[in-house]
Amino acid sequence: MTSARSAPDPSPTPPRPSDEAPPGPRGGRGTGNAADFAVDPLGFLARCAREHGDVVSLTPSNVLLAHPDDIGRVLVDRGGDVIKVRPGEKRRGGTGFPLAMMNSEGGEWSRKRRRLRPAFRSERLAGLDAAAADAVARTLDRWEDGSVIDVHAEMSRLAMHVGAVHIAGRPLGAEADALADAVAAIMRLTSSPVRLPSWVPSPVNLGLRRALRSLDTALEALIDGHRPDGGATALGLLLEERPTAPFAEVRDELATLLMSGYETTADALTWLVHCLGGAPEADGRLGEEARRGAADAEGAEGGGYVAAAAREALRLYPPAWVISRIAVRPVRAGGYRLPAGTVIGISQWVTHRDERWFPEPEAFRPERWLDGGGPGHRYAYLPFGAGPRGCLGASMAVREMEAVVRALRARVRLEPVEPEKVRARPALALQPLGVRAVVRGERSGK
């Protein structure tokens, strides 16, 4: 079978005529592409890149970039030519918290990122290991040897506990249900092939409105009950600006921090458990390292085999499976001139599974990250984005993943149950559905 892709070419791509559009399914025209994307986003994007190359017209105003060269230029080198949020998009939509950093641009975005950055510095992350150990201990007290668990539900509880301690300074009480309900409502909305306008009183829209109202009430109680902590937590940093930052801004920021830290980490942990379940040798090696307590084991920098397995799971199943930018000035990619107004899509799902950068791309191989290994291109691996708008909490998420799986695997083994029924649901995050496991206690000294 022939492919639009070829081996990497070191020579620069020659510019094309300014009016030449990139190739794409149906010539990049028609509503059929939008329909195909709505029904099977992952399969559609992978097929587009495989059949049409590294720059693909999806619609007259939407383009997919798959080559790391172009990805790096858009996300890093040409930051002033692209934006994430269109001017004027400030209404609180179905999934939006418009005053949060992630939904801001320009000077507002810079100010908000500077405000939160201290909470995610390496010295502030030291408490994650203790929080993870405590959360895992509480979890294992509930599990019985031989019981079958819903892995995503259990990882969600763990991630919510650890994330809330770091972000808000304490585990969530009644607020946890409101947060979980809001996340579930947003995932239902963003995974639906047909999305009705927010003003339509559909069951999905009505459920989301109720969930967001409950979340507002819970966040208000959390904010009002927080005691000054000298900026030790993200919430503490936000409240230091409370006299000048309106409540709505603090609420939106706290909501996005808690929701992204909870859902994406739970998804990543669940995918890691799923991957290990299908790779007994990798699981055994990780278990041995966890029981040795080898946080600084030889191999992958910063965590040994545990870190390598976490990176590999994030490669195969990146919670952030697609991101987009909007060109405010013409941008060149793959020799094509993309006019201002083009929505540029970048899919981690596609680029992470490209055999040019990752041999045997469909295989779970943590070894590829050991001894200085990794992708064949700097921007071929970007589970947390890249450039100035890369995820502020990336270090926290990775450290939490490693701490949780290390603490869990030191004491139990999770045997997969009907792994063939597991599927990915591409919503706002890449959710794992159907991941179940049998809990097996590890014998000491094994």
Side-chain angles (χ1 to χ4, degrees):
M1 177 182 291
T2 61
S3 170
R5 291 177 172 171
S6 60
D9 184 353
S11 61
T13 304
R16 302 173 187 270
S18 60
D19 59 348
E20 182 180 349
R26 302 181 179 91
R29 301 292 187 269
T31 58
N33 292 338
D36 287 348
F37 175 82
V39 172
D40 180 14
L42 302 177
F44 174 73
L45 293 178
R47 188 168 63 252
C48 284
R50 184 173 61 250
E51 296 178 357
H52 299 283
D54 289 323
V55 186
V56 186
S57 289
L58 305 178
T59 74
S61 59
N62 288 262
V63 169
L64 171 70
L65 301 184
H67 197 288
D69 283 348
D70 296 322
I71 291 170
R73 278 193 288 269
V74 167
L75 296 182
V76 182
D77 301 334
R78 302 292 295 274
D81 294 337
V82 298
I83 57 174
K84 181 179 178 182
V85 184
R86 292 183 188 273
E89 285 188 352
K90 288 296 184 183
R91 290 186 302 109
R92 188 178 187 189
T95 62
F97 294 88
L99 299 180
M101 174 192 66
M102 65 183 299
N103 295 321
S104 300
E105 282 290 343
E108 278 292 289
W109 169 80
S110 297
R111 175 182 67 82
K112 292 170 182 177
R113 190 174 177 97
R114 282 196 305 272
R115 175 176 62 190
L116 287 172
R117 189 178 292 122
F120 297 95
R121 289 176 179 154
S122 57
E123 62 269 20
R124 296 287 183 92
L125 299 180
L128 276 177
D129 294 343
D134 176 64
V136 168
R138 293 170 183 266
T139 298
L140 294 178
D141 285 344
R142 291 190 293 101
W143 291 356
E144 295 182 0
D145 190 57
S147 62
V148 177
I149 60 169
D150 178 329
V151 176
H152 189 257
E154 296 294 338
M155 295 304 106
S156 295
R157 293 188 185 97
L158 277 168
M160 187 177 293
H161 178 99
V162 178
V165 168
H166 182 74
I167 291 168
R170 66 170 178 82
L172 300 183
E175 305 95 345
D177 290 337
L179 181 64
D181 289 346
V183 169
I186 289 173
M187 294 301 162
R188 281 194 297 271
L189 177 70
T190 55
S191 66
S192 174
V194 178
R195 292 179 61 176
L196 298 174
S198 59
W199 52 264
V200 175
S202 67
V204 171
N205 285 341
L206 291 175
L208 179 59
R209 291 178 203 169
R210 287 193 296 269
L212 290 178
R213 284 196 297 269
S214 296
L215 180 62
D216 280 351
T217 301
L219 292 178
E220 184 173 3
L222 184 61
I223 291 167
D224 289 343
H226 189 79
R227 297 291 175 264
D229 58 20
T233 63
L235 180 54
L237 290 169
L238 289 170
L239 293 181
E240 285 183 350
E241 290 193 16
R242 184 69 182 274
T244 56
F247 170 78
E249 181 179 315
V250 175
R251 176 204 62 200
D252 282 10
E253 202 71 85
L254 182 60
T256 56
L257 287 170
L258 289 171
M259 294 172 95
S260 58
Y262 146 62
E263 177 61 31
T264 58
T265 304
D267 293 339
L269 282 166
T270 304
W271 283 124
L272 177 53
V273 170
H274 173 65
C275 289
L276 290 169
E281 289 187 9
D283 182 56
R285 182 171 176 180
L286 187 148
E288 290 176 4
E289 182 177 293
R291 289 189 294 277
R292 289 199 311 267
D296 56 350
E298 59 181 320
E301 181 181 351
Y305 201 77
V306 173
R311 289 184 185 130
E312 182 71 344
L314 287 168
R315 181 189 69 82
L316 280 170
Y317 299 101
W321 59 277
V322 67
I323 56 179
S324 65
R325 297 291 186 267
I326 304 160
V328 294
R329 283 183 285 276
V331 174
R332 283 206 171 271
Y336 295 97
R337 180 182 181 274
L338 309 180
T342 301
V343 178
I344 300 170
I346 296 166
S347 175
Q348 290 93 327
W349 175 269
V350 171
T351 303
H352 285 189
R353 290 170 178 252
D354 191 325
E355 64 183 357
R356 292 175 295 179
W357 324 118
F358 299 97
E360 299 180 63
E362 303 295 323
F364 177 70
R365 288 180 48 206
E367 292 77 14
R368 73 173 85 238
W369 298 99
L370 298 175
D371 300 320
H377 193 292
R378 180 179 180 183
Y379 297 113
Y381 181 73
L382 57 160
F384 300 100
R389 293 203 69 134
C391 177
L392 183 62
S395 295
M396 171 185 167
V398 172
R399 183 158 182 168
E400 183 178 342
M401 272 186 78
E402 295 174 13
V404 167
V405 75
R406 185 178 288 112
L408 274 176
R409 196 60 189 82
R411 293 180 55 186
V412 299
R413 179 166 44 89
L414 297 178
E415 295 180 353
V417 175
E418 298 181 310
E420 70 279 1
K421 293 184 178 180
V422 173
R423 66 183 181 90
R425 182 170 78 166
L428 196 61
L430 188 65
Q431 287 193 302
L433 301 182
V435 182
R436 298 188 301 146
V438 178
V439 178
R440 301 295 187 194
E442 286 284 19
R443 295 190 298 274
S444 59
K446 181 179 177 181

